[in-house]
Amino acid sequence: MSDYLSTELAATCAALGYYDGSKYHLDNYCLDVIKDLIKYLRRDDESHTVRQFLGQTKVLQTDLIKIFVDHYDKLELWDVLLRLIINITSPVVLLFNEQIPTDIMQRTIYLKLVAYTQSYKVALIDGRIWTILSNRLSKILKLDNVERGEENEMVIERILIFIRNVLQILPDENEKRVDNDATVHDEVLYALNTSGIVDLLVFIASNRSEQQYHLQVLEIISLMLRDQSASELARSGLQRSLSEKEKDEETLLAARLKEKEKKIERVRKYAEARHSHFGGTYVVQNMKAIGENQLLCHKPYQKIEALNFGQDKKKVSKPKNKRPMWDPRGERTSALSVRLILKEFCIEFLNAAYNPVMKYAKSCIVSGAQTNQSETTCYLWALRFFMEFNRHYKFEVKYVSETISTEVFHLVQRQMDHYYEMIITDKKRIPLWSRRLHLALKAYQELLYTLMAMDQSTDRGVRESSKVIKSNVFYVPEYRETILSLLLCFDEVKMSRQYLIDLTTTAHIFLKMLSNYCGRNKRSVIVQKVKPTRHKRTNKKKAVQKEQPPVRSLEERWDEVSPQLSIVMQEGTIPQVIPFDATLDVPIDDQKVDAMKRVQKLLRSKDLEQAIGLIRAAREVWPENDSFGSANITSGEEFLALREIFFADLGGE
């Protein structure tokens, strides 16, 4: 940093004002100074000189936060100051185009900026900051959308971005807190809850008129709960469970044993500081040295396996591009008070906002309206987390009904294919795409877990819905072969070990569900139809043809079938039938005639339940021209339609 630039920045920061120990006094040109700092950051160089200076001098901790708290009533100054704080706390990875730099100089700058943002997060624990933000946000949300104006809409968006920036700051590696201890992130969450911002987030997510902020709220929620385990959070209570107590005791015992071993090793190190070459030599029986003599050693080994010839050898280090992918950061158990707060928030979000938020997010992803992949990542994370939470808390399908469908399976499967393609093509960002592929796989796994839970439900409608979804997932080759293709394409250099564990678990779940599905329904999934070949028999006498009964007319057969058909339509149990065969190369639209022939064949063979189920399913698939009847057809009209199909000449029987 040049002396001129350093002097200019120091003079600019000094013109903000001063703190007398109780209140911060503003300078006459404080507003202009804040605007100048925003301009400096906007024109910063590649080394981020201005950003480094602001972090090194701790301007945020000493001046900006105090102005933010003491002068919140000056709206113009407060709004400009909020813009500056958002710029200072913005994610460091975005400054480097979402890539951790490999150059030594750039890597040093990156680590410095990360350390500065971590110090910002410690300073932003103050509950007064979040109370002021909550009051300002609640006042704007009370206004109607027409009365707000563009400026208030921008303030809402900036407040949400500020919350996102603070929550996304990664924890300090030196902050090694044990489970059930409060970290800096936990303290921020506690401040958010006490200030009322958490309730405002639920209100925005449940309000349909605030849909433009739903994706931002979803990203904030994913950052709030990123370190939590959904199953443990759902089982959290006012008192620690027996398993938690046993786990804590085992952790404490392991720590004590480790400390005891270190102490013994330290004593042994100083007690046996002198080498043992004067303690004598020993001969290893039945083992030759390099020459003809017996192998000598300087220690009395109890077991021959303890003799290590490669003790002094230097290990060959693997190149960076051939090292296995490191596992993602694991989950931890927060303090009990924080867990109870987050559990209550998850319950409220499931009850009031999960389905509408996920519906809007899915529509944005399908239509391509989202601008970056982070929103899709947040959608997949929320799908996995809240469905797992619902499954372990009180399983209710209605709370997660928006994400239980064949369309969601197709969306997740499409994202997994896309992420794997990006791993192959975008080689500079392989770790990023690998983490996203792992996240999509966990979402797919949770969908399978939810289907298994639906099968065990006491509600018959829930079990039937699960059966319909499984029929599509197990019958369509794209869904059926997804897990197999991922197993075949696994690469330890590009994918983590935890990903392999989850992939193997998902494959086991899928195969178990497929086995149960085929066993219960007493049918197999058809992969490909093979027409059997018949061999002509030679030198065989023709069998004597038996006398066949006279052929009955269609009118006689209809008179016999029609009473049974009427009873089945009124009182029978109509099964759900798939009217087309997805394994064939023939398009679905061209299979309409075959479906009509199948209906006629089932009617003439007196398989009336299947015939009615097939015509009703075909009516939904091919509604055009009312070939199988109109959508709002009555029972009498449906009976006449079946009669016409029974007598029609379709080239079959």
Side-chain angles (χ1 to χ4, degrees), residues 239-434:
Q239 295 181 352
R240 291 194 305 165
S241 62
L242 182 62
S243 60
E244 290 180 355
K245 292 180 180 179
E246 292 178 353
K247 183 179 178 181
D248 293 342
E249 290 176 359
E250 291 176 359
T251 305
L252 180 60
L253 182 61
R256 289 184 61 186
L257 290 175
K258 187 176 181 180
E259 184 180 356
K260 187 176 180 180
E261 289 177 359
K262 286 183 178 180
K263 188 176 180 180
I264 294 174
E265 186 68 26
R266 196 181 305 116
V267 172
R268 186 183 302 166
K269 180 180 178 181
Y270 289 107
E272 300 178 0
R274 191 178 182 186
H275 59 77
S276 61
H277 294 309
F278 294 100
T281 56
Y282 303 89
V283 178
V284 181
Q285 292 183 356
N286 301 325
M287 186 173 291
K288 292 286 186 180
I290 297 177
E292 295 295 330
N293 299 325
Q294 296 289 330
L295 180 65
L296 300 178
C297 62
H298 298 283
K299 290 182 180 180
Y301 292 105
Q302 299 293 331
K303 294 182 180 180
I304 192 60
E305 290 82 3
L307 183 61
N308 185 11
F309 294 102
Q311 184 176 1
D312 297 330
K313 290 183 179 179
K314 186 178 180 181
K315 294 183 179 180
V316 180
S317 60
K318 284 187 177 182
K320 289 184 179 180
N321 58 349
K322 293 184 179 180
R323 293 177 185 173
M325 181 70 68
W326 48 273
D327 289 330
R329 190 162 51 93
E331 299 169 342
R332 66 174 302 274
T333 305
S334 299
L336 182 60
S337 59
V338 177
R339 276 184 287 154
L340 294 177
I341 291 171
L342 294 179
K343 179 181 179 180
E344 188 66 26
F345 167 75
C346 292
I347 295 172
E348 292 180 2
F349 184 78
L350 276 175
N351 291 334
Y354 177 80
N355 285 326
V357 168
M358 299 300 283
K359 182 178 181 180
Y360 176 73
K362 186 178 73 172
S363 65
C364 292
I365 295 171
V366 172
S367 62
Q370 81 278 7
T371 57
N372 50 27
Q373 286 289 334
S374 62
E375 295 170 354
T376 307
T377 304
C378 293
Y379 174 83
L380 295 173
W381 178 91
L383 185 148
R384 192 273 309 172
F385 186 89
F386 285 102
M387 290 183 73
E388 182 180 357
F389 181 88
N390 178 57
R391 185 164 52 84
H392 286 89
Y393 178 62
K394 293 178 181 178
F395 182 66
E396 292 287 343
V397 178
K398 62 181 180 180
Y399 294 145
V400 292
S401 59
E402 185 58 39
T403 51
I404 303 179
S405 63
T406 310
E407 290 80 6
V408 176
F409 269 95
H410 174 68
L411 176 62
V412 176
Q413 185 258 344
R414 190 182 67 180
Q415 290 299 322
M416 285 194 292
D417 294 340
H418 172 67
Y419 293 152
Y420 180 74
E421 292 174 0
M422 294 305 297
I423 288 175
I424 298 175
T425 56
D426 191 3
K427 295 184 178 180
K428 291 185 178 180
R429 297 197 297 173
I430 287 178
L432 176 63
W433 296 112
S434 178

Side-chain angles (χ1 to χ4, degrees), residues 168-206:
Q168 62 81 32
I169 297 174
L170 295 175
D172 190 358
E173 294 182 356
N174 297 324
E175 186 193 10
K176 296 180 180 180
R177 303 285 184 93
V178 296
D179 289 345
N180 295 311
D181 192 8
T183 60
V184 175
H185 191 76
D186 293 340
E187 293 181 18
V188 173
L189 293 178
Y190 188 80
L192 288 174
N193 181 69
T194 54
S195 63
I197 287 183
V198 173
D199 298 330
L200 292 176
L201 292 176
V202 176
F203 172 76
I204 294 174
S206 60

Side-chain angles (χ1 to χ4, degrees), residues 54 230 454:
L54 296 179
M454 291 172 65

Side-chain angles (χ1 to χ4, degrees), residues 27-39:
D27 192 89
N28 294 331
Y29 302 99
C30 180
L31 179 60
D32 296 331
V33 170
I34 294 174
K35 292 180 180 179
D36 290 339
L37 289 175
I38 295 174
K39 292 179 183 178

Side-chain angles (χ1 to χ4, degrees), residues 62-324:
T62 58
D63 295 277
L64 300 184
I65 291 179
K66 293 179 173 57
I67 298 173
F68 193 87
V69 173
D70 293 340
H71 300 279
Y72 63 91
D73 52 342
K74 300 177 181 179
L75 295 182
E76 183 181 2
L77 175 67
W78 192 86
D79 292 341
V80 178
L81 181 60
L82 180 62
R83 289 169 50 196
L84 176 60
I85 295 176
I86 289 173
N87 198 331
I88 293 175
T89 58
S90 58
V92 181
V93 181
L94 296 180
L95 302 175
F96 294 88
N97 298 324
E98 296 186 358
Q99 295 182 16
I100 299 177
T102 56
D103 183 66
I104 297 177
M105 296 298 296
Q106 292 293 321
R107 184 64 176 263
T108 305
I109 295 172
Y110 171 80
L111 294 177
K112 281 185 179 179
L113 294 178
V114 169
Y116 293 149
T117 55
Q118 290 170 350
S119 64
Y120 298 157
K121 190 171 184 178
V122 175
L124 291 169
I125 296 174
D126 192 352
R128 296 176 298 171
I129 302 173
W130 304 106
T131 303
I132 293 170
L133 286 170
S134 176
N135 295 334
R136 183 71 190 278
L137 185 60
S138 61
K139 288 180 182 179
I140 299 176
L141 291 175
K142 289 178 182 178
L143 301 175
D144 294 333
N145 293 337
V146 182
E147 299 176 358
R148 283 182 193 170
E150 186 176 355
E151 293 183 1
N152 288 328
E153 297 284 351
M154 291 297 296
V155 172
I156 295 176
E157 188 171 354
R158 286 170 186 162
I159 291 174
L160 294 178
I161 293 174
F162 174 66
I163 298 171
R164 189 276 315 269
N165 287 353
V166 176
L167 291 174
Q168 62 81 32
I169 297 174
L170 295 175
D172 190 358
E173 294 182 356
N174 297 324
E175 186 193 10
K176 296 180 180 180
R177 303 285 184 93
V178 296
D179 289 345
N180 295 311
D181 192 8
T183 60
V184 175
H185 191 76
D186 293 340
E187 293 181 18
V188 173
L189 293 178
Y190 188 80
L192 288 174
N193 181 69
T194 54
S195 63
I197 287 183
V198 173
D199 298 330
L200 292 176
L201 292 176
V202 176
F203 172 76
I204 294 174
S206 60
N207 196 345
R208 192 170 184 179
S209 60
E210 310 292 346
Q211 273 191 347
Q212 67 268 27
Y213 307 118
H214 281 184
L215 291 176
Q216 290 177 279
V217 171
L218 195 63
E219 186 176 5
I220 291 172
I221 293 172
S222 66
L223 294 172
M224 288 172 58
L225 303 168
R226 66 184 177 190
D227 295 333
Q228 305 298 323
S229 171
S231 58
E232 291 184 3
L233 203 63
R235 291 191 290 263
S236 298
L238 295 177
Q239 295 181 352
R240 291 194 305 165
S241 62
L242 182 62
S243 60
E244 290 180 355
K245 292 180 180 179
E246 292 178 353
K247 183 179 178 181
D248 293 342
E249 290 176 359
E250 291 176 359
T251 305
L252 180 60
L253 182 61
R256 289 184 61 186
L257 290 175
K258 187 176 181 180
E259 184 180 356
K260 187 176 180 180
E261 289 177 359
K262 286 183 178 180
K263 188 176 180 180
I264 294 174
E265 186 68 26
R266 196 181 305 116
V267 172
R268 186 183 302 166
K269 180 180 178 181
Y270 289 107
E272 300 178 0
R274 191 178 182 186
H275 59 77
S276 61
H277 294 309
F278 294 100
T281 56
Y282 303 89
V283 178
V284 181
Q285 292 183 356
N286 301 325
M287 186 173 291
K288 292 286 186 180
I290 297 177
E292 295 295 330
N293 299 325
Q294 296 289 330
L295 180 65
L296 300 178
C297 62
H298 298 283
K299 290 182 180 180
Y301 292 105
Q302 299 293 331
K303 294 182 180 180
I304 192 60
E305 290 82 3
L307 183 61
N308 185 11
F309 294 102
Q311 184 176 1
D312 297 330
K313 290 183 179 179
K314 186 178 180 181
K315 294 183 179 180
V316 180
S317 60
K318 284 187 177 182
K320 289 184 179 180
N321 58 349
K322 293 184 179 180
R323 293 177 185 173

